[in-house]
Amino acid sequence: MKTGTVLFLSGMLFSGVATATPLAQQDWDLVVAQAKKEGSVTFNVWYLQPQWRSFVADFEKQYGIKVRIPEGSIDGNMNKLLAEARREKGKMDVVALSVAQLPIIRKANALAQVDWLPGYGDAVHQLQSVNTEGYAVAFWGNQTGMAYDPQQMGNQPLPQSLDDLQHFIDANPKKFGYNDPNNGGAGEAFIQRVVTLSSDTFDADATQVDPAIIKNWKKGWEWFVGNKEKITQTASGADSLTRLNDGELLLVPAWEDHLAGLQKSGAITGRLKFYIPAFGMPGGGNIAAIAANSTHPAASAVFLNWLTQAETQRALNVAFGAVPMNKQVKTDVVQPDIATQFYGKDYSMQLRKEFVRQVSMQ
């Protein structure tokens, strides 16, 4: 092995010296020292890049390690990671991913194990019914619920059950709005809950869709069709919040972090509020991992460990409205249990198809 070569062997990252010792077996202070020598790390995240560049300033100040955050899309970042997976050294270090992308990237052996990081135990590594198996940690939590304007709502109680929501819709025609599930997750989250609550229990994460379950969704579709003339269908989650902001709507499904982000940017009024009804709404999040052939393995480890720390997660909540993904951080937003997780990929795709056929085309 040539001096300076970085190897990845048996799921471990190695430092670039002739008699390399796996980072996982080194004292953490030595890992930090190596990270400072590497001097920089790339964080590929597909959203809010300008805000992220400001947010990581605390990390740069604390460790003296420069964080580069390039532009990129969610699919573009994944494709680049996969394309570089066979190279001895890649250009990607820490990469933000959706949970749905993890199986594909794991199959390509493109990720290093991170379960040796000192903060791993307090981090969340099972998300949306997917266990990251030591190759990633959750760093960004997002939760769907209902957004409303207290000023417009007045003395009307916030709907907590589907019966409550029905009474609200009857009393306020066209004032409840939700977006097409093919144009945003907030709308799909609400549709999933109505369908689930109107159906018998089923395994939403199953990899094979049961036709009998699809037929059992009939009651859910009947709810939407029966209320079609009294509900406003919006173009997207952003459109829902814009209409709520403008006073056209009183209540809409929304992402908590999306709402907070728009409020912080001044795009919508800070008066709007968010809550999770008693009937539940799905929650999820994003994960981060380290490229197996990272050029900056120690700096990547230090950055990912920092990203999942309780203090950082609290700061993310303040800066972006993200749900903290650290077991030591208490939050007013209750983490969803399995009953209110998003459907798995197969049932999600089927639900969107059935919505078009059973509701949109009626």
Side-chain angles (χ1 to χ4, degrees), residues 178-184 232-240 243:
Y178 72 100
N179 63 276
D180 185 304
N182 294 288
N183 293 319
T232 299
Q233 188 169 317
T234 66
S236 65
D239 185 42
S240 294
R243 294 191 188 195

Side-chain angles (χ1 to χ4, degrees), residues 43-315:
F43 180 38
N44 288 86
V45 60
W46 72 87
Y47 57 93
L48 301 173
Q49 289 98 339
Q51 292 92 327
W52 273 108
R53 292 181 188 117
S54 297
F55 183 81
V56 299
D58 286 343
F59 172 84
E60 294 175 323
K61 182 179 180 181
Q62 180 179 349
Y63 291 100
I65 299 170
K66 178 66 178 176
V67 181
R68 191 172 73 87
I69 300 177
E71 295 296 321
S73 66
I74 182 171
D75 291 331
N77 288 345
M78 181 181 75
N79 291 337
K80 183 178 180 182
L81 182 63
L82 292 173
E84 294 185 351
R86 293 182 180 275
R87 297 180 181 178
E88 183 179 358
K89 294 182 180 180
K91 296 181 179 179
M92 305 182 85
D93 295 322
V94 180
V95 187
L97 304 166
S98 73
V99 176
Q101 292 175 316
L102 186 61
I104 299 172
I105 297 172
R106 281 278 293 108
K107 189 175 182 180
N109 295 317
L111 302 178
Q113 285 186 282
V114 296
D115 52 0
W116 58 274
L117 297 177
Y120 184 81
D122 286 333
V124 175
H125 25 85
Q126 180 156 331
L127 196 65
Q128 296 172 214
S129 302
V130 174
N131 190 324
T132 61
E133 299 179 333
Y135 286 90
V137 290
F139 74 97
W140 180 283
N142 46 33
Q143 174 67 50
T144 61
M146 296 291 182
Y148 66 101
D149 185 341
Q151 183 171 301
Q152 295 184 67
M153 190 69 73
N155 295 324
Q156 295 185 81
L158 298 175
Q160 297 292 347
S161 67
L162 281 184
D163 286 340
D164 291 345
L165 183 59
Q166 186 65 64
H167 292 317
F168 178 85
I169 291 169
D170 292 339
N172 303 276
K174 291 294 185 180
K175 291 295 185 178
F176 174 76
Y178 72 100
N179 63 276
D180 185 304
N182 294 288
N183 293 319
E188 181 176 358
F190 172 69
I191 294 166
Q192 285 185 13
R193 289 309 290 155
V194 173
V195 166
T196 300
L197 293 168
S198 302
S199 308
D200 293 332
T201 302
F202 68 99
D203 181 6
D205 294 309
T207 55
Q208 291 188 343
V209 174
D210 184 348
I213 293 297
I214 304 304
K215 289 183 180 179
N216 200 35
W217 288 353
K218 182 180 178 181
K219 291 181 180 179
W221 302 136
E222 288 175 348
W223 187 92
F224 284 100
V225 172
N227 283 297
K228 200 168 187 179
E229 299 304 315
K230 295 183 286 186
I231 292 177
T232 299
Q233 188 169 317
T234 66
S236 65
D239 185 42
S240 294
L241 290 173
T242 297
R243 294 191 188 195
L244 177 67
N245 184 72
D246 294 343
E248 177 186 348
L249 301 174
L250 293 178
L251 186 69
V252 299
W255 290 100
E256 184 188 27
D257 56 341
H258 186 200
L259 173 63
L262 291 174
Q263 289 178 317
K264 287 181 181 296
S265 69
I268 61 176
T269 176
R271 191 175 62 245
L272 303 184
K273 300 296 183 182
F274 175 90
Y275 81 105
I276 302 174
F279 62 73
M281 287 285 281
N286 303 323
I287 57 176
I290 298 175
N293 55 2
S294 165
T295 307
H296 309 99
S300 296
V302 173
F303 179 76
L304 186 58
N305 192 68
W306 171 83
L307 193 59
T308 61
Q309 294 298 298
E311 184 178 352
T312 307
Q313 287 295 303
R314 291 189 190 96

